[in-house]
Amino acid sequence: MVQIDRRALLGALGVGISSVSGCLGSPDAGAGSGPITDSSDGSTGSAVDGPPTVERSLPAAYTAEKLEAASRSGGPPPDGIPAIEDPQFAEATDPPALLDDGDPVFGVVLDGEAKAYPQSILVWHEIVNDIVGGTPVSVTYCPLTGTAQGFHRGETTFGVSGQLINANLVMFDRATERWWPQMLATRITGDDPGEYLKEFRVVWTTWERWRSAHPETVVLTEDTGFARNYGSDPYGGYNPRNGYYAGDAFLFPPLTEDNRLAPKTVVIGMRSANGAVAVRKETLREERIIEFDLGGVRHAAVYDESLDTGYVYKSGDGTEIDGTDSADLETATLSWADGDVDVDGAVHAPDSLPFEREIVFDAMWFAWYGYYPMTDLHR
């Protein structure tokens, strides 16, 4: 195992830390680990709303105190990696010149609006505070753990704290300055930690696949307000995969380790009140449908070859969003049907099976297991 400081790595790669910290960033706008302090007029941060949260239960292997104690600086100070606050987009017919068809993008569809966020831009900023489908959201990416996730943010915005836990991005919300580790989607500092962010699905795919599936999409441009070399990834590359993304070395150690898969094997992870599960993405590509029990509840992972992604479903409450009756996954028969999924004789697109769909995201195995050592693995 090799462990080096991210600042040292970037320096070795010829990337000045000032360029990472952001020429227009505001290092002094940093986040602390505690609640916001009293202001000059005597008011407190408790009167300021943080991001919207939801009632849910997720598996947890560590207390908030242990997670905070495990945090370490990634090198840049708070906001030293500047979030994009005023994102600019182009039509799919006029994408950024440096964006190749095979380059990874993070795709989002909310309330009928489709947007694509190139990995080559997010690797320099990690967070985009945006509005999609009329909803204020943050699209987030951690290059060290290979995780792209979406969160509702309400009236506040998220920033990059500069701290890492389990090698994973720790966000802070600017209303309360409290910490939210990205993969956990959970607040770990401030009074009564344990609130959960409201999440939405972000699809890791390629620009060619996303554009084909969503020709009406717009795509984030390099007009970010920051001077960055968006043609150069400081960690390596995905098209083809090389550098940090291809090797087994860590920059920061995970919370715990497991050797059933190579550390950076891509898994599709899902966590819910029923437990945590990871499906090796290559296995899902090969088998296309994987059914399993989690917490005594029947689940199914299905492959979407159009986007090279996966979805995980569980039995619902018997009613779909449109009011029609859903199928019973406990007794349903699923089979592959030339790119679609046959459910008891009715054909459905992989993203539209008549069951309850869970939030999932791609992750490097070491990071998923580090946070969720109780996970069931399908390899």
Side-chain angles (χ1 to χ4, degrees), residues 36-352:
I36 194 169
T37 56
D38 292 352
S39 61
S40 58
D41 63 1
S43 63
T44 67
S46 61
V48 180
D49 290 335
T53 57
V54 293
E55 294 290 333
R56 65 188 304 194
S57 177
L58 296 180
Y62 313 98
T63 64
E65 292 77 12
K66 186 168 184 178
L67 289 168
E68 185 178 2
S71 68
R72 58 176 63 194
S73 172
D79 269 337
I81 296 176
I84 297 174
E85 307 291 353
D86 185 22
Q88 303 296 310
F89 293 87
E91 302 293 329
T93 53
D94 185 28
L98 295 175
L99 185 62
D100 290 336
D101 281 352
D103 288 345
V105 299
F106 310 131
V108 172
V109 179
L110 287 178
D111 199 22
E113 184 175 16
K115 290 189 173 183
Y117 302 82
Q119 182 269 344
S120 59
I121 298 176
L122 268 289
V123 72
W124 290 99
H125 299 281
E126 303 192 1
I127 295 174
V128 181
N129 291 307
D130 196 7
I131 295 176
V132 184
T135 301
V137 300
S138 295
V139 176
T140 68
Y141 168 60
C142 178
L144 296 178
T145 54
T147 44
Q149 297 172 247
F151 305 103
H152 293 250
R153 61 178 173 82
E155 297 302 316
T156 188
T157 57
F158 283 101
V160 179
S161 72
Q163 297 292 311
L164 298 168
I165 301 174
N166 193 43
N168 182 234
L169 161 68
V170 177
M171 310 179 297
F172 73 98
D173 76 83
R174 293 194 169 91
T176 69
E177 298 189 344
R178 286 164 179 160
W179 287 4
W180 306 81
Q182 181 209 30
M183 291 178 65
L184 298 179
T186 305
R187 180 170 61 80
I188 65 165
T189 61
D191 295 337
D192 300 321
E195 293 179 310
Y196 296 105
L197 292 173
K198 184 178 181 181
E199 300 181 82
F200 60 89
R201 178 68 195 273
V202 176
V203 175
W204 182 309
T205 185
T206 65
W207 170 233
E208 182 178 34
R209 290 174 183 271
W210 184 258
R211 185 188 62 221
S212 177
H214 300 282
E216 76 289 358
T217 191
V218 293
V219 56
L220 181 70
T221 73
E222 296 159 4
D223 182 14
T224 63
F226 298 94
R228 296 291 185 275
N229 183 2
Y230 293 114
S232 177
D233 184 328
Y235 301 97
Y238 276 103
N239 185 26
R241 188 182 300 262
N242 62 79
Y244 171 82
Y245 309 124
D248 288 340
F250 301 132
L251 294 183
F252 298 89
L255 291 170
T256 188
E257 296 184 54
D258 178 273
N259 62 7
R260 285 176 289 174
L261 297 175
K264 295 172 189 168
T265 300
V266 177
V267 298
I268 295 175
M270 187 280 288
R271 68 277 199 267
S272 71
N274 297 113
V277 65
V279 178
R280 182 172 167 263
K281 194 168 185 178
E282 184 58 33
T283 301
L284 188 60
R285 288 190 185 105
E286 296 169 358
E287 299 190 13
R288 297 173 173 175
I289 300 174
I290 298 175
E291 296 183 63
F292 56 88
D293 290 327
L294 184 66
V297 177
R298 195 65 171 165
H299 290 69
V302 299
Y303 179 61
D304 183 342
E305 61 185 4
S306 66
L307 291 172
D308 187 36
T309 191
Y311 305 94
V312 173
Y313 295 88
K314 72 173 184 178
S315 290
D317 62 3
T319 304
E320 293 187 76
I321 295 176
D322 62 3
T324 60
D325 291 339
S326 65
D328 184 357
L329 185 54
E330 299 287 344
T331 59
T333 299
L334 280 61
S335 61
W336 190 250
D338 193 27
D340 291 320
V341 179
D342 186 306
V343 180
D344 291 336
V347 175
H348 302 268
D351 65 347
S352 303

